[in-house]
Amino acid sequence: MSTSPDPNAPYWTRRDVAAYLGWVPQTVSSYLSAKRLPEPSSRIEGSPIWEPKVIIDWNEGGRPKQNAG
């Protein structure tokens, strides 16, 4: 089992976001493509990165409910 990423890191990669959320990296990609994940803070060589606070806040309060509607 992977460890949680450092919430004080300057950024999280797709893999870090997946580890934090308990997902596989492909799920992060799917959510990002479907605009169900916050926009990346930036990109490094085309790969999205997020400030940890953006993902933490989204997960704790702004995350859409799974079966809403």
Side-chain angles (χ1 to χ4, degrees), residues 8-21:
N8 298 312
Y11 65 85
W12 282 353
T13 64
R14 183 175 63 108
R15 198 173 293 260
D16 294 325
V17 172
Y20 172 74
L21 295 171

Side-chain angles (χ1 to χ4, degrees), residues 3-69:
T3 61
S4 294
D6 180 1
N8 298 312
Y11 65 85
W12 282 353
T13 64
R14 183 175 63 108
R15 198 173 293 260
D16 294 325
V17 172
Y20 172 74
L21 295 171
W23 296 352
V24 296
Q26 182 57 40
T27 301
V28 174
S29 295
S30 295
Y31 265 62
L32 183 57
S33 293
K35 299 188 184 288
R36 295 181 66 198
L37 198 65
E39 282 296 312
S41 303
S42 189
R43 290 185 180 266
I44 295 179
E45 296 181 7
S47 296
I49 58 171
W50 294 263
E51 294 175 23
K53 183 177 180 358
V54 169
I55 297 298
I56 293 168
D57 289 351
W58 171 82
N59 187 53
E60 291 179 353
R63 181 177 176 180
K65 300 297 181 210
Q66 189 71 8
N67 291 317

